[in-house]
């Protein structure tokens, strides 16, 4: 997504990356983000560079009494940059801040799971031109199993990327003519999923993807990075469009 310069071309970033990786990083990744142990060395190093920049440049906040630590930023950023594995152009420069919460988040109604009378209880949410809010326990849980198909950081970051064209409507900025031509495949798969749900048919994708085009995009993004082989098996065309969008084939670093 061509919204900024390639990340290495910025003097301040170069300076940051020229300093040794702070000691906290390796043990934190080892303990909390097992995905990193599976990655090929060159990709792993590149993602750590991006995560360091994200930790340094974004605004981070602990909300509702959560005491924010450096370790928390590392765990969130390390996962967030996985979505940028194939693209050195954008590094969340348009994301104002990341807020972490000790438990759940009170979110706008009808947006995420777990309705209550006046608000929705969510593990995360993302706002157009706004912050990403995440439940810290949910972040940890997502990171602990990199192949269960669910990841709240991937999900909310996907919403953010979706909104980069000015609207969180299920279609992120499409950089190439080929992608623009192929995007109707995604819309058709979304329509088919809703039909399957309406007719009570079992779906391989999480039924939550049928809530809206934007949730479809976020849920498929989770599946694309966490269970790429399975997504490709069940929805090969969808997989192929997402591989073109994210410019990466996560099957290559899925070491299960
Ligand atoms: Zn969502």
């Amino acid at each position: 997504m061509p919204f900024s310069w390639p990340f290495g071309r910025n003097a301040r970033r170069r300076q940051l990356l020229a300093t040794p990786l702070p000691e906290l990083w390796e043990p934190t990744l080892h303990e909390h983000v097992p995905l990193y142990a599976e990655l090929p060395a060159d990709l792993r190093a590149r993602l750590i560079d991006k995560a360091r920049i994200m930790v340094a440049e974004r605004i981070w906040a602990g909300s509702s009494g959560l005491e924010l630590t450096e370790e928390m930023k590392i765990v969130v950023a390390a996962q967030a940059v996985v979505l940028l594995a194939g693209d050195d152009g954008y590094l969340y420069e348009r994301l104002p801040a990341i807020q972490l919460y000790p438990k759940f988040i009170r979110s706008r109604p009808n947006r995420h799971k777990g309705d209550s009378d006046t608000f929705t209880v969510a593990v995360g949410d993302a706002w157009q031109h706004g912050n990403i809010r995440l439940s810290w326990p949910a972040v940890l849980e997502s990171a602990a199993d990199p192949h269960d198909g669910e990841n709240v950081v991937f999900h909310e970051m996907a919403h953010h990327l979706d909104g980069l064209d000015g609207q969180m409507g299920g279609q992120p900025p499409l950089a190439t003519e080929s992608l623009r031509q192929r995007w109707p495949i995604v819309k058709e798969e979304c329509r088919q999923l809703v039909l399957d749900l309406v007719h009570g048919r079992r779906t391989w994708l999480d039924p939550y993807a049928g809530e809206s085009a934007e949730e479809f995009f976020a849920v498929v993004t989770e599946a694309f990075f966490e269970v790429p082989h399975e997504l490709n098996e069940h929805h090969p065309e969808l997989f192929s469009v997402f591989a073109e969008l994210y410019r990466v084939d996560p099957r290559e670093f899925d070491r299960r």
Side-chain angles (χ1 to χ4, degrees):
M1 286 146 209
F3 286 105
S4 61
W5 295 299
F7 70 94
R9 255 192 252 161
N10 167 313
R12 205 155 31 114
R13 290 178 176 185
R14 265 205 315 273
Q15 214 169 17
L16 171 75
L17 298 181
T19 62
L21 185 65
E23 269 179 29
L24 187 60
W25 277 74
E26 286 295 353
T28 300
L29 293 174
H30 181 76
E31 188 179 352
H32 295 300
V33 197
L35 175 66
Y36 273 63
E38 299 181 16
L39 300 174
D42 55 336
L43 176 60
R44 186 178 191 278
R46 212 153 47 85
L47 288 184
I48 289 175
D49 281 353
K50 290 187 184 195
R52 288 180 75 183
I53 293 168
M54 188 179 173
V55 165
E57 291 184 356
R58 304 273 56 79
I59 293 169
W60 298 80
S63 299
S64 298
L66 181 81
E67 203 175 309
L68 185 73
T69 66
E70 202 61 16
E71 194 182 34
M72 292 174 183
K73 298 182 198 175
I74 294 171
V75 173
V76 172
Q79 295 178 84
V81 297
V82 170
L83 270 57
L84 312 178
D87 186 345
D88 286 344
Y90 180 67
L91 222 173
Y92 295 119
E93 288 88 349
R94 290 210 197 166
L95 174 60
I98 298 109
Q99 291 171 266
L100 294 179
Y101 287 74
K103 287 184 190 151
F104 292 103
I105 293 161
R106 283 164 161 249
S107 192
R108 56 187 143 173
N110 301 324
R111 187 156 161 75
H112 287 272
K113 296 167 189 171
D115 282 337
S116 99
D117 288 343
T118 52
F119 61 89
T120 297
V121 175
V123 291
D125 65 6
W127 298 79
Q128 183 68 48
H129 306 306
N131 297 347
I132 299 274
R133 306 193 303 164
L134 296 162
S135 146
W136 170 241
V139 168
L140 276 181
E141 203 187 312
S142 289
D145 186 345
H147 300 299
D148 63 0
E150 291 183 14
N151 185 306
V152 67
V153 179
F154 293 173
H155 184 103
E156 303 308 337
M157 292 298 161
H159 281 316
H160 169 78
L161 296 176
D162 176 8
L164 288 178
D165 62 353
Q167 191 193 359
M168 282 184 187
Q171 178 179 317
L174 304 175
T176 64
E177 184 54 35
S178 160
L179 267 174
R180 287 189 283 276
Q181 277 182 12
R182 296 182 75 202
W183 201 256
I185 293 171
V186 178
K187 290 184 177 167
E188 175 54 28
E189 293 259 7
C190 181
R191 202 184 64 86
Q192 188 58 50
L193 180 81
V194 172
L195 270 182
D196 287 346
L197 292 170
V198 165
H199 289 102
R201 290 190 284 263
R202 277 183 62 133
T203 62
W204 178 79
L205 281 167
D206 184 340
Y208 189 58
E211 291 269 318
S212 63
E214 68 202 77
E215 295 309 334
F216 186 81
F217 178 70
V219 169
V220 173
T221 294
E222 290 177 79
F224 178 74
F225 284 100
E226 289 232 331
V227 285
H229 291 285
E230 291 87 338
L231 178 64
N232 183 52
E233 202 174 295
H234 292 272
H235 299 276
E237 283 203 294
L238 195 56
F239 180 87
S240 160
V241 176
F242 272 62
E244 190 172 342
L245 174 75
Y246 284 112
R247 300 179 195 178
V248 70
D249 184 344
R251 290 175 299 178
E252 287 167 12
F253 49 82
D254 181 349
R255 297 274 182 84
R256 280 172 295 169

